[in-house]
Amino acid sequence: MLLLNITLSNFGAYKGEQYINLATKPGRPVILIGGLNGCGKTTLLDAIQLALYGRRARTSGRGNRSYDSYLRDSINRQASPKHAYITLEFTTTVEGQERHYKVRRAWEANGKSVREFLTVLIDGVLDVPVSEQWADYIEDLFPLEAGSLFFFDGEKIESLADPERAASVIESAVHSLLGINTIEQLRTDLLALQRRQKVSNDDKEALEQIQGLESEIKRVAQECADSVQRMASTRTALDQAKSRFDAIDGAFSREGGELYTRRAELEAEKNQADAQLRSIKETLANTIAAGPLPLLLLRPQLEELREQVTKERIAAQNAQVIDVLVARDTRLLAELKALLPEEGVATAERFLAIDREERIKSTSDTRQVINYPTAAVPLLLSIDDVIRQETERARVLVKQAGEVRERLNALERKLAGVPDKQVIAALIEERDAARDVVTRHQVQLDADIEALESARRRHQQLLLERDRAYQGRAQRLTRAEDVERLIKYANRSRNTLQKFGEVLLRRHINRLEAAVLKSFKELMRKSQLVRDLRIDTEKFTLTLMGPDDEELDPSRLSAGERQLLAVSLLWGLARVAGNQLPSVIDTPLGRLDSHHREHLVERYFPKASNQVLLLSTDEEIDEYLFSRLKPSIARMYMLVHDDKTFTTTVEEGYWWTAGATHVA
C-alpha cells in the first residue's frame, strides 16, 4: 500500500483546501512534515485515519464524544457553510493487480444534525457497492488493528513502553497481521457450518435454549466491554489522583511533615534516652564510685601497705620457728657427726648458725606496725584485680553515657526542626484528602477488575454451555450419514486448525522475538544492555534478559530506552508481517537523548517502511538530524500557523531549506 496524496478542506485548523503530495521516490521513502506544537501535525494523522475508518477511527481528539459531535467540532470555525471533507488517494495490490483508490469522506453540520457522505473511486470509476460497504472492505485492505501499528504518535509509543499495554498490542498484532485471525475465522466458519447442519424444526426446545444462550453471551460480552471501559477510566483517574498525592506529599515532606508525623515517636525515644542516661549516671555514682574504684587514688600507699604486711608476716613466721630450728639443728648435727668428717660437720654447723641469725635479725629489725590479719592477706593481694575490673566497668558505662548523650542531642535537634501544627495543618488536611481520593479510586478499580473477571468467567461458562448445547443437539440431529460425516470432518479440521494455529503462533513469536531484539540493538546506544528477549505465547508479555542471563526489570531502563523498546516492538512486528504498509509517525523523539535520536533517524526512519510520513517539530528533527535524514527524504512540507486567525496552511520546504517559512 502506498499513499499518493491527501486533501484537507476546513478540517480542524486547516482552513480552505490544503493539498499534500505524498508520493515517494526510489531510495527516498521519507515524507518530512514539520510544524511547531499546535500547528496541526496530529490533526493530519487523524485525517488519514478518519478518511479510512470513519467512526471506528482511533483519532486523538475524539475522547468520549459521539461520532457526530466529533465531526461537528472538527469543522474549521471560520468555515461557511459548515462543510468539510478529506480526500485520500492510495494504491495497493489486489489479487495480483495494482489498484488506485480515491476515498472522499465529507460531512456538513446543520444545527445539531450532521450528515456524512463517503465515495470511493477505484481506478477512476465510482464503485457504489464498495462505497456502501467500505467499513468491511477496508478491513481486507488495511485492517484497523494493523493501522494502530503503522499510524502512531509519541504518546502512543510512550504508552506501549508499559509492559502490560505492550502485551495487548503484541496479541492483537500477532493475530491480525500474522494470520492467526484467519485460522480462528476458519474454525469459527467450520463451527457455523456444524451449527447449520444441526438446526432442525423438530427440536424447538433445544433451539430456544441455544438462542437464549446466544443472547446471554452477547449481553455478557457487552458487559465485559463496558467493564474494560470503566476500568480504563478508573485507572486514569487513579493515576491522576496518585500524581496529585505525590505532589502534595512532596510539599508535606519539604515542610518537615515527616518529622511532624514522627513527633510522638521522637519524643518517646528522647524520654527513653533520658531515662537510660540517668540510669547510667546513677550506676556510676551509687555503685562504681561507692565501691573499690576510688582506691585508684591510693595506689602507692596500697603498694607500701602490701610490702609492710609481707615483712611483718615473714618476721612473725621466723619468731615462731627459732626454737624449733635450734632443736632441729642439734639433732641434725648429731646425726652428721656419725656420717661426715669433722670439716663437713663444721661447714654444716656454720650454715645452720648463719640461717638462725638471719631469721633472728629479721624478727628484731621488723616492727609490728600494722598487725594485718592473716586471713585477710589474700584479699589485700587481689585488690589490683578488683580495681582493674571496676575500672573496665566504669569505662564501659562512661562510653555508653557518651553514646546516649549523642543520640539525645540528635533527637533534640530533630524535635527542634518539627514544624508547628498551625504551619502544617493545611498541608495535613490536603494530604489526607488526597490520600482518601487515591484510596477511593483504588477501591473502585479493584471493584471494576473483579466485575470484569466475573463477567469473563460468566462469558466462558456460557460459551461452554452453548458448546454443550450444540453438541447435544448434534447428537440428536445427526441422523443422516452425510451430516454425520460433515460434522466429524469439521471437528477434525477444527482440531487440526487449532494445532496448526498453535504451531504457527510459536513460529511467528520466535521470528518476532528475533526481529524485535534485532531492531532494539540497532537503535540502542548500549547494545549489550539486553542480550535476549522472550514473548509469552499465552499472555503475550515481553521479558527482557540482561547480559548475565537474568531477567531484566523494565524499570531499570530509562524513559528513552523504554521508548526505543516500544519503537523496536512496532518495527519488529512490521518486519515479521512483511506487509508493505505506510508508517505515519507523529512527534517520535520527545523523550530521547541526542544519541538515541541519531540512531532512530539513521537506522529506523529510512527502513521503517517503503513509505514513512514523519511529523516533527524543529527540536525533534533539528538542523543536524535533518542533514542526516536528508538523503532519505522524498518530499518535505511545513505546517505554517497563523496565530491571528488560528489557521494552518501547508507549504513546501523545511526549516533549514532555502525559501522555507520559519514559524516562530
Side-chain angles (χ1 to χ4, degrees), residues 8-18 34-41 43 74-80 82 638-651 661 663-664:
L8 295 83
S9 176
N10 292 327
F11 180 67
Y14 297 90
K15 182 183 178 182
E17 188 174 274
Q18 303 294 326
L36 301 180
N37 292 331
C39 286
K41 298 187 299 299
T43 303
S74 65
I75 299 175
N76 187 273
R77 296 179 180 178
Q78 301 181 30
S80 181
K82 293 296 183 180
M638 287 289 301
L639 304 181
V640 181
H641 188 71
D642 189 335
D643 291 335
K644 296 181 179 179
T645 62
F646 301 100
T647 58
T648 296
T649 56
V650 180
E651 299 181 8
T661 302
V663 182

mmCIF file of all heavy atoms in Angstrom, residues 8-18 34-41 43 74-80 82 638-651 661 663-664:
data_model
loop_
_atom_site.group_PDB
_atom_site.id
_atom_site.type_symbol
_atom_site.label_atom_id
_atom_site.label_comp_id
_atom_site.label_asym_id
_atom_site.label_seq_id
_atom_site.Cartn_x
_atom_site.Cartn_y
_atom_site.Cartn_z
ATOM 1 N N LEU A 8 -7.173 18.192 2.506
ATOM 2 C CA LEU A 8 -7.986 18.534 3.658
ATOM 3 C C LEU A 8 -8.701 19.850 3.370
ATOM 4 O O LEU A 8 -8.067 20.819 2.917
ATOM 5 C CB LEU A 8 -7.153 18.681 4.930
ATOM 6 C CG LEU A 8 -6.444 17.437 5.460
ATOM 7 C CD1 LEU A 8 -5.126 17.218 4.746
ATOM 8 C CD2 LEU A 8 -6.184 17.576 6.964
ATOM 9 N N SER A 9 -9.984 19.879 3.630
ATOM 10 C CA SER A 9 -10.756 21.110 3.426
ATOM 11 C C SER A 9 -11.533 21.417 4.701
ATOM 12 O O SER A 9 -12.405 20.644 5.109
ATOM 13 C CB SER A 9 -11.710 20.951 2.241
ATOM 14 O OG SER A 9 -12.513 22.109 2.093
ATOM 15 N N ASN A 10 -11.159 22.542 5.339
ATOM 16 C CA ASN A 10 -11.855 23.011 6.548
ATOM 17 C C ASN A 10 -11.882 21.945 7.640
ATOM 18 O O ASN A 10 -12.849 21.826 8.378
ATOM 19 C CB ASN A 10 -13.287 23.454 6.208
ATOM 20 C CG ASN A 10 -13.300 24.696 5.348
ATOM 21 O OD1 ASN A 10 -12.428 25.558 5.473
ATOM 22 N ND2 ASN A 10 -14.280 24.784 4.463
ATOM 23 N N PHE A 11 -10.806 21.186 7.734
ATOM 24 C CA PHE A 11 -10.708 20.159 8.771
ATOM 25 C C PHE A 11 -9.778 20.653 9.869
ATOM 26 O O PHE A 11 -8.591 20.893 9.638
ATOM 27 C CB PHE A 11 -10.185 18.849 8.189
ATOM 28 C CG PHE A 11 -10.067 17.743 9.206
ATOM 29 C CD1 PHE A 11 -11.192 17.194 9.798
ATOM 30 C CD2 PHE A 11 -8.825 17.252 9.585
ATOM 31 C CE1 PHE A 11 -11.081 16.179 10.732
ATOM 32 C CE2 PHE A 11 -8.711 16.237 10.516
ATOM 33 C CZ PHE A 11 -9.850 15.701 11.094
ATOM 34 N N GLY A 12 -10.308 20.806 11.083
ATOM 35 C CA GLY A 12 -9.511 21.286 12.195
ATOM 36 C C GLY A 12 -8.974 22.669 11.930
ATOM 37 O O GLY A 12 -9.708 23.594 11.556
ATOM 38 N N ALA A 13 -7.658 22.824 12.109
ATOM 39 C CA ALA A 13 -7.036 24.133 11.903
ATOM 40 C C ALA A 13 -6.808 24.447 10.431
ATOM 41 O O ALA A 13 -6.431 25.570 10.083
ATOM 42 C CB ALA A 13 -5.695 24.190 12.643
ATOM 43 N N TYR A 14 -7.033 23.467 9.529
ATOM 44 C CA TYR A 14 -6.774 23.670 8.105
ATOM 45 C C TYR A 14 -7.981 24.359 7.454
ATOM 46 O O TYR A 14 -9.008 23.726 7.198
ATOM 47 C CB TYR A 14 -6.492 22.336 7.419
ATOM 48 C CG TYR A 14 -5.248 21.660 7.933
ATOM 49 C CD1 TYR A 14 -5.314 20.768 9.006
ATOM 50 C CD2 TYR A 14 -4.008 21.909 7.360
ATOM 51 C CE1 TYR A 14 -4.178 20.149 9.481
ATOM 52 C CE2 TYR A 14 -2.862 21.295 7.828
ATOM 53 C CZ TYR A 14 -2.945 20.416 8.890
ATOM 54 O OH TYR A 14 -1.820 19.809 9.354
ATOM 55 N N LYS A 15 -7.836 25.648 7.209
ATOM 56 C CA LYS A 15 -8.924 26.397 6.578
ATOM 57 C C LYS A 15 -8.769 26.335 5.067
ATOM 58 O O LYS A 15 -7.665 26.425 4.528
ATOM 59 C CB LYS A 15 -8.905 27.851 7.049
ATOM 60 C CG LYS A 15 -10.052 28.683 6.459
ATOM 61 C CD LYS A 15 -9.951 30.137 6.891
ATOM 62 C CE LYS A 15 -11.069 30.961 6.256
ATOM 63 N NZ LYS A 15 -10.976 32.387 6.614
ATOM 64 N N GLY A 16 -9.896 26.197 4.387
ATOM 65 C CA GLY A 16 -9.852 26.087 2.942
ATOM 66 C C GLY A 16 -9.303 24.724 2.535
ATOM 67 O O GLY A 16 -9.304 23.774 3.304
ATOM 68 N N GLU A 17 -8.824 24.631 1.302
ATOM 69 C CA GLU A 17 -8.335 23.356 0.774
ATOM 70 C C GLU A 17 -6.819 23.329 0.834
ATOM 71 O O GLU A 17 -6.148 24.215 0.309
ATOM 72 C CB GLU A 17 -8.821 23.159 -0.664
ATOM 73 C CG GLU A 17 -8.515 21.785 -1.229
ATOM 74 C CD GLU A 17 -9.130 21.573 -2.593
ATOM 75 O OE1 GLU A 17 -10.303 21.172 -2.669
ATOM 76 O OE2 GLU A 17 -8.428 21.853 -3.599
ATOM 77 N N GLN A 18 -6.285 22.290 1.484
ATOM 78 C CA GLN A 18 -4.838 22.122 1.626
ATOM 79 C C GLN A 18 -4.462 20.762 1.035
ATOM 80 O O GLN A 18 -5.002 19.731 1.432
ATOM 81 C CB GLN A 18 -4.415 22.190 3.098
ATOM 82 C CG GLN A 18 -4.821 23.474 3.809
ATOM 83 C CD GLN A 18 -4.107 24.684 3.257
ATOM 84 O OE1 GLN A 18 -2.949 24.601 2.845
ATOM 85 N NE2 GLN A 18 -4.807 25.816 3.218
ATOM 86 N N GLY A 34 7.024 19.259 8.851
ATOM 87 C CA GLY A 34 7.424 19.971 10.051
ATOM 88 C C GLY A 34 6.371 20.952 10.511
ATOM 89 O O GLY A 34 5.630 21.539 9.716
ATOM 90 N N GLY A 35 6.316 21.124 11.804
ATOM 91 C CA GLY A 35 5.378 22.088 12.368
ATOM 92 C C GLY A 35 5.587 22.208 13.859
ATOM 93 O O GLY A 35 5.927 21.228 14.536
ATOM 94 N N LEU A 36 5.405 23.397 14.398
ATOM 95 C CA LEU A 36 5.512 23.581 15.838
ATOM 96 C C LEU A 36 4.295 22.982 16.521
ATOM 97 O O LEU A 36 3.304 22.620 15.863
ATOM 98 C CB LEU A 36 5.638 25.072 16.172
ATOM 99 C CG LEU A 36 6.836 25.803 15.554
ATOM 100 C CD1 LEU A 36 6.839 27.261 15.976
ATOM 101 C CD2 LEU A 36 8.147 25.127 15.952
ATOM 102 N N ASN A 37 4.373 22.875 17.832
ATOM 103 C CA ASN A 37 3.249 22.324 18.583
ATOM 104 C C ASN A 37 1.998 23.161 18.352
ATOM 105 O O ASN A 37 2.034 24.392 18.417
ATOM 106 C CB ASN A 37 3.575 22.281 20.081
ATOM 107 C CG ASN A 37 4.659 21.277 20.389
ATOM 108 O OD1 ASN A 37 4.801 20.281 19.693
ATOM 109 N ND2 ASN A 37 5.435 21.537 21.424
ATOM 110 N N GLY A 38 0.878 22.477 18.082
ATOM 111 C CA GLY A 38 -0.378 23.170 17.861
ATOM 112 C C GLY A 38 -0.616 23.597 16.433
ATOM 113 O O GLY A 38 -1.637 24.225 16.135
ATOM 114 N N CYS A 39 0.301 23.231 15.527
ATOM 115 C CA CYS A 39 0.145 23.648 14.135
ATOM 116 C C CYS A 39 -0.705 22.670 13.332
ATOM 117 O O CYS A 39 -1.105 22.981 12.209
ATOM 118 C CB CYS A 39 1.512 23.797 13.470
ATOM 119 S SG CYS A 39 2.407 25.271 14.018
ATOM 120 N N GLY A 40 -0.946 21.446 13.823
ATOM 121 C CA GLY A 40 -1.826 20.538 13.104
ATOM 122 C C GLY A 40 -1.193 19.232 12.671
ATOM 123 O O GLY A 40 -1.736 18.555 11.792
ATOM 124 N N LYS A 41 -0.062 18.840 13.266
ATOM 125 C CA LYS A 41 0.566 17.572 12.882
ATOM 126 C C LYS A 41 -0.323 16.392 13.252
ATOM 127 O O LYS A 41 -0.595 15.505 12.427
ATOM 128 C CB LYS A 41 1.938 17.442 13.568
ATOM 129 C CG LYS A 41 2.938 18.521 13.169
ATOM 130 C CD LYS A 41 4.311 18.236 13.738
ATOM 131 C CE LYS A 41 4.295 18.212 15.257
ATOM 132 N NZ LYS A 41 3.879 19.480 15.840
ATOM 133 N N THR A 43 -3.450 16.481 13.848
ATOM 134 C CA THR A 43 -4.687 16.595 13.062
ATOM 135 C C THR A 43 -4.517 15.917 11.710
ATOM 136 O O THR A 43 -5.445 15.276 11.198
ATOM 137 C CB THR A 43 -5.055 18.069 12.878
ATOM 138 O OG1 THR A 43 -5.179 18.689 14.165
ATOM 139 C CG2 THR A 43 -6.362 18.218 12.124
ATOM 140 N N SER A 74 -14.916 19.151 14.456
ATOM 141 C CA SER A 74 -13.697 19.136 13.647
ATOM 142 C C SER A 74 -13.778 20.070 12.446
ATOM 143 O O SER A 74 -12.783 20.274 11.755
ATOM 144 C CB SER A 74 -13.406 17.706 13.167
ATOM 145 O OG SER A 74 -14.416 17.252 12.289
ATOM 146 N N ILE A 75 -14.952 20.637 12.177
ATOM 147 C CA ILE A 75 -15.069 21.607 11.080
ATOM 148 C C ILE A 75 -14.431 22.924 11.514
ATOM 149 O O ILE A 75 -14.646 23.401 12.633
ATOM 150 C CB ILE A 75 -16.546 21.821 10.698
ATOM 151 C CG1 ILE A 75 -17.174 20.497 10.229
ATOM 152 C CG2 ILE A 75 -16.672 22.869 9.606
ATOM 153 C CD1 ILE A 75 -18.659 20.598 9.954
ATOM 154 N N ASN A 76 -13.620 23.502 10.659
ATOM 155 C CA ASN A 76 -12.950 24.756 10.974
ATOM 156 C C ASN A 76 -13.973 25.825 11.380
ATOM 157 O O ASN A 76 -15.034 25.967 10.753
ATOM 158 C CB ASN A 76 -12.142 25.242 9.767
ATOM 159 C CG ASN A 76 -11.291 26.446 10.111
ATOM 160 O OD1 ASN A 76 -11.733 27.590 10.038
ATOM 161 N ND2 ASN A 76 -10.043 26.189 10.481
ATOM 162 N N ARG A 77 -13.653 26.549 12.435
ATOM 163 C CA ARG A 77 -14.597 27.532 12.989
ATOM 164 C C ARG A 77 -14.960 28.628 11.991
ATOM 165 O O ARG A 77 -16.061 29.191 12.048
ATOM 166 C CB ARG A 77 -13.999 28.160 14.246
ATOM 167 C CG ARG A 77 -13.773 27.168 15.377
ATOM 168 C CD ARG A 77 -13.157 27.868 16.575
ATOM 169 N NE ARG A 77 -12.933 26.928 17.674
ATOM 170 C CZ ARG A 77 -12.374 27.254 18.840
ATOM 171 N NH1 ARG A 77 -12.004 28.512 19.046
ATOM 172 N NH2 ARG A 77 -12.199 26.346 19.773
ATOM 173 N N GLN A 78 -14.031 28.949 11.097
ATOM 174 C CA GLN A 78 -14.284 30.036 10.164
ATOM 175 C C GLN A 78 -14.933 29.555 8.864
ATOM 176 O O GLN A 78 -15.179 30.355 7.956
ATOM 177 C CB GLN A 78 -12.967 30.751 9.848
ATOM 178 C CG GLN A 78 -12.287 31.327 11.096
ATOM 179 C CD GLN A 78 -10.995 32.043 10.757
ATOM 180 O OE1 GLN A 78 -10.851 32.590 9.672
ATOM 181 N NE2 GLN A 78 -10.053 32.066 11.694
ATOM 182 N N ALA A 79 -15.188 28.242 8.768
ATOM 183 C CA ALA A 79 -15.775 27.705 7.538
ATOM 184 C C ALA A 79 -17.234 28.128 7.421
ATOM 185 O O ALA A 79 -18.001 28.064 8.381
ATOM 186 C CB ALA A 79 -15.679 26.186 7.531
ATOM 187 N N SER A 80 -17.613 28.538 6.250
ATOM 188 C CA SER A 80 -19.009 28.911 5.994
ATOM 189 C C SER A 80 -19.320 28.582 4.536
ATOM 190 O O SER A 80 -18.699 29.133 3.615
ATOM 191 C CB SER A 80 -19.232 30.398 6.269
ATOM 192 O OG SER A 80 -20.587 30.736 6.044
ATOM 193 N N LYS A 82 -20.859 25.285 7.041
ATOM 194 C CA LYS A 82 -20.177 24.319 7.886
ATOM 195 C C LYS A 82 -20.052 22.988 7.144
ATOM 196 O O LYS A 82 -20.830 22.049 7.328
ATOM 197 C CB LYS A 82 -20.931 24.128 9.210
ATOM 198 C CG LYS A 82 -20.917 25.349 10.105
ATOM 199 C CD LYS A 82 -19.479 25.676 10.547
ATOM 200 C CE LYS A 82 -19.444 26.845 11.511
ATOM 201 N NZ LYS A 82 -18.070 27.178 11.937
ATOM 202 N N MET A 638 6.014 22.247 5.366
ATOM 203 C CA MET A 638 5.892 22.985 6.619
ATOM 204 C C MET A 638 4.418 23.281 6.881
ATOM 205 O O MET A 638 3.682 23.653 5.960
ATOM 206 C CB MET A 638 6.657 24.308 6.550
ATOM 207 C CG MET A 638 8.156 24.167 6.603
ATOM 208 S SD MET A 638 8.730 23.664 8.235
ATOM 209 C CE MET A 638 8.104 25.014 9.205
ATOM 210 N N LEU A 639 4.000 23.085 8.118
ATOM 211 C CA LEU A 639 2.658 23.477 8.543
ATOM 212 C C LEU A 639 2.786 24.858 9.181
ATOM 213 O O LEU A 639 3.285 25.008 10.299
ATOM 214 C CB LEU A 639 2.101 22.458 9.537
ATOM 215 C CG LEU A 639 2.059 21.008 9.040
ATOM 216 C CD1 LEU A 639 1.455 20.097 10.109
ATOM 217 C CD2 LEU A 639 1.272 20.897 7.737
ATOM 218 N N VAL A 640 2.339 25.877 8.459
ATOM 219 C CA VAL A 640 2.517 27.275 8.888
ATOM 220 C C VAL A 640 1.223 27.733 9.549
ATOM 221 O O VAL A 640 0.157 27.722 8.922
ATOM 222 C CB VAL A 640 2.868 28.177 7.692
ATOM 223 C CG1 VAL A 640 3.083 29.606 8.160
ATOM 224 C CG2 VAL A 640 4.111 27.649 6.985
ATOM 225 N N HIS A 641 1.344 28.131 10.790
ATOM 226 C CA HIS A 641 0.167 28.503 11.574
ATOM 227 C C HIS A 641 0.099 30.019 11.744
ATOM 228 O O HIS A 641 1.091 30.669 12.095
ATOM 229 C CB HIS A 641 0.222 27.830 12.944
ATOM 230 C CG HIS A 641 -1.037 28.000 13.744
ATOM 231 N ND1 HIS A 641 -2.216 27.373 13.431
ATOM 232 C CD2 HIS A 641 -1.285 28.736 14.863
ATOM 233 C CE1 HIS A 641 -3.132 27.702 14.308
ATOM 234 N NE2 HIS A 641 -2.597 28.537 15.189
ATOM 235 N N ASP A 642 -1.076 30.561 11.485
ATOM 236 C CA ASP A 642 -1.325 31.995 11.672
ATOM 237 C C ASP A 642 -1.942 32.195 13.051
ATOM 238 O O ASP A 642 -3.077 31.779 13.310
ATOM 239 C CB ASP A 642 -2.266 32.509 10.584
ATOM 240 C CG ASP A 642 -2.379 34.035 10.602
ATOM 241 O OD1 ASP A 642 -2.155 34.651 11.677
ATOM 242 O OD2 ASP A 642 -2.703 34.612 9.556
ATOM 243 N N ASP A 643 -1.187 32.824 13.959
ATOM 244 C CA ASP A 643 -1.666 32.991 15.330
ATOM 245 C C ASP A 643 -2.824 33.977 15.438
ATOM 246 O O ASP A 643 -3.507 34.026 16.469
ATOM 247 C CB ASP A 643 -0.516 33.454 16.230
ATOM 248 C CG ASP A 643 0.524 32.371 16.423
ATOM 249 O OD1 ASP A 643 0.151 31.184 16.294
ATOM 250 O OD2 ASP A 643 1.688 32.709 16.686
ATOM 251 N N LYS A 644 -3.049 34.795 14.390
ATOM 252 C CA LYS A 644 -4.146 35.754 14.438
ATOM 253 C C LYS A 644 -5.464 35.107 14.030
ATOM 254 O O LYS A 644 -6.506 35.346 14.640
ATOM 255 C CB LYS A 644 -3.836 36.945 13.527
ATOM 256 C CG LYS A 644 -2.622 37.753 13.987
ATOM 257 C CD LYS A 644 -2.371 38.930 13.050
ATOM 258 C CE LYS A 644 -1.167 39.745 13.515
ATOM 259 N NZ LYS A 644 -0.881 40.882 12.608
ATOM 260 N N THR A 645 -5.411 34.286 12.987
ATOM 261 C CA THR A 645 -6.651 33.637 12.514
ATOM 262 C C THR A 645 -6.786 32.212 13.036
ATOM 263 O O THR A 645 -7.823 31.573 12.822
ATOM 264 C CB THR A 645 -6.664 33.607 10.983
ATOM 265 O OG1 THR A 645 -5.544 32.829 10.519
ATOM 266 C CG2 THR A 645 -6.584 35.010 10.415
ATOM 267 N N PHE A 646 -5.724 31.703 13.718
ATOM 268 C CA PHE A 646 -5.721 30.343 14.254
ATOM 269 C C PHE A 646 -5.970 29.309 13.149
ATOM 270 O O PHE A 646 -6.726 28.352 13.329
ATOM 271 C CB PHE A 646 -6.751 30.177 15.376
ATOM 272 C CG PHE A 646 -6.537 31.094 16.537
ATOM 273 C CD1 PHE A 646 -7.283 32.261 16.678
ATOM 274 C CD2 PHE A 646 -5.557 30.815 17.480
ATOM 275 C CE1 PHE A 646 -7.071 33.103 17.735
ATOM 276 C CE2 PHE A 646 -5.335 31.663 18.543
ATOM 277 C CZ PHE A 646 -6.095 32.826 18.673
ATOM 278 N N THR A 647 -5.342 29.520 11.994
ATOM 279 C CA THR A 647 -5.489 28.585 10.887
ATOM 280 C C THR A 647 -4.112 28.141 10.422
ATOM 281 O O THR A 647 -3.101 28.822 10.648
ATOM 282 C CB THR A 647 -6.245 29.228 9.710
ATOM 283 O OG1 THR A 647 -5.534 30.400 9.285
ATOM 284 C CG2 THR A 647 -7.661 29.602 10.121
ATOM 285 N N THR A 648 -4.085 26.996 9.741
ATOM 286 C CA THR A 648 -2.831 26.395 9.286
ATOM 287 C C THR A 648 -2.881 26.197 7.776
ATOM 288 O O THR A 648 -3.899 25.763 7.224
ATOM 289 C CB THR A 648 -2.598 25.043 9.976
ATOM 290 O OG1 THR A 648 -2.448 25.253 11.382
ATOM 291 C CG2 THR A 648 -1.343 24.365 9.447
ATOM 292 N N THR A 649 -1.765 26.493 7.133
ATOM 293 C CA THR A 649 -1.623 26.232 5.704
ATOM 294 C C THR A 649 -0.397 25.347 5.492
ATOM 295 O O THR A 649 0.507 25.292 6.333
ATOM 296 C CB THR A 649 -1.455 27.539 4.910
ATOM 297 O OG1 THR A 649 -0.325 28.263 5.437
ATOM 298 C CG2 THR A 649 -2.702 28.397 5.019
ATOM 299 N N VAL A 650 -0.359 24.656 4.345
ATOM 300 C CA VAL A 650 0.734 23.740 4.021
ATOM 301 C C VAL A 650 1.617 24.387 2.969
ATOM 302 O O VAL A 650 1.126 24.841 1.925
ATOM 303 C CB VAL A 650 0.188 22.395 3.501
ATOM 304 C CG1 VAL A 650 1.339 21.453 3.159
ATOM 305 C CG2 VAL A 650 -0.741 21.766 4.530
ATOM 306 N N GLU A 651 2.938 24.440 3.261
ATOM 307 C CA GLU A 651 3.895 24.998 2.318
ATOM 308 C C GLU A 651 5.044 24.022 2.143
ATOM 309 O O GLU A 651 5.395 23.275 3.069
ATOM 310 C CB GLU A 651 4.422 26.350 2.816
ATOM 311 C CG GLU A 651 3.338 27.402 2.971
ATOM 312 C CD GLU A 651 3.898 28.738 3.454
ATOM 313 O OE1 GLU A 651 5.141 28.861 3.513
ATOM 314 O OE2 GLU A 651 3.100 29.633 3.759
ATOM 315 N N THR A 661 9.440 28.827 5.066
ATOM 316 C CA THR A 661 8.950 29.793 6.061
ATOM 317 C C THR A 661 9.295 29.297 7.454
ATOM 318 O O THR A 661 9.008 28.161 7.788
ATOM 319 C CB THR A 661 7.438 29.977 5.933
ATOM 320 O OG1 THR A 661 7.159 30.409 4.611
ATOM 321 C CG2 THR A 661 6.925 30.996 6.924
ATOM 322 N N VAL A 663 8.415 29.477 11.192
ATOM 323 C CA VAL A 663 7.338 29.938 12.076
ATOM 324 C C VAL A 663 7.884 30.019 13.486
ATOM 325 O O VAL A 663 8.288 29.022 14.052
ATOM 326 C CB VAL A 663 6.135 28.976 12.019
ATOM 327 C CG1 VAL A 663 5.018 29.502 12.898
ATOM 328 C CG2 VAL A 663 5.658 28.825 10.590
ATOM 329 N N ALA A 664 7.887 31.196 14.060
ATOM 330 C CA ALA A 664 8.433 31.371 15.401
ATOM 331 C C ALA A 664 7.326 31.302 16.418
ATOM 332 O O ALA A 664 6.185 31.573 16.114
ATOM 333 C CB ALA A 664 9.150 32.706 15.503
#
